[in-house]
Amino acid sequence: MTIDPPHLRRDFVGYGENPPDPQWPGGARLALNLCINYEEGGEPSVPDGDAESETGLTEGGSGGFSGRDLAAESMFEYGSRIGFWRVHRLLQSRGMTATVLGCGLALERNPQVCAAIRASDYDVCAHGWRWERHQNLTLEQERERIRRTVESIARSVGSRPLGWYCRYGPSLNTRALLAEEGGFIYDSDTYNDELPYWTWVEGKPHLLVPYGLANNDAKFIRGGMATGQDLFEYLRDAFDVLYEEGATQPKMMSVGLHLRLVGQPGRAAGLARFLDHVAAHPDVWVCRRVDIARHWHAHHPPGQAATR
């Protein structure tokens, strides 16, 4: 019988009934992190050597054959050509920040987007080199992908990523390889909490900042949403519950956005309504993912509880 290292052990208890007070800046009741998935140009495609085009998280109506799917390719391109700029304008006009979950190869292919990321001071959480399953990579292949992604993002946006989030979930080796690479202050390959928490990797503390797929525009493609109003109502309800609970137990809320999806005008209208709803509430910290990680490092350093 093998004993898994601490960061691979399942934990069904977590913080329990009485989670810690995160002590968000300004006494905020909620830390809100808007996550822009920048993937366009990092998805599987025939020009990049894949057997067929990626059709996931697109409008559909194509696929089902091997070879190059020009319709699917152009749907991805919409996200980088149109969607990014629409979402960017919504945020800038409201003075709100965001985190870019960026694929290294995708960012390399759009210097204008990288310039906007730098100018806006969005942080970049590494979202892999491109879309590939880390579970299918050898240890050495995954080590190389992580190194390549760090170097690529540093060149593209002027600073290395401080966080990591896999496209298809991590392998059993991912977290240990991140610790080996060094320079990361957190990863987000977990979905099990509404507050950051510590674990141990190779005998050293490692911070996890959980992500979520519930507050996510991917529901448009998976049948859970149809209109911008659907998106607004779902995000509003999630926000309102967490905001009310935040009077005594502040939490964090992540919102996942895909530019080829929410960047469409009818869906962007729902995002705009949500941002205005947020802006109407005091004591909300709209922040970057790296801000949350740095805050946790500073105010909740690892201790005995880090073993979880």
Side-chain angles (χ1 to χ4, degrees), residues 49-127:
D50 299 292
E52 57 189 38
S53 299
E54 174 65 47
T55 60
L57 298 188
T58 66
E59 301 300 320
S62 191
F65 61 92
S66 297
R68 193 171 180 184
D69 187 332
L70 299 182
E73 287 182 11
S74 64
M75 291 178 198
F76 271 87
E77 291 163 10
Y78 181 94
S80 59
R81 292 164 59 115
I82 302 295
F84 174 83
W85 301 108
R86 177 166 288 130
V87 172
H88 179 59
R89 287 193 299 270
L90 290 177
L91 294 173
Q92 292 292 288
S93 65
R94 292 162 175 80
M96 293 183 176
T97 192
T99 292
V100 175
L101 305 182
C103 294
L105 180 58
L107 288 169
E108 282 189 8
R109 289 172 159 168
N110 198 326
Q112 290 187 40
V113 163
C114 292
I117 290 170
R118 290 194 300 271
S120 305
D121 201 25
Y122 300 151
D123 64 320
V124 177
C125 173
H127 199 23

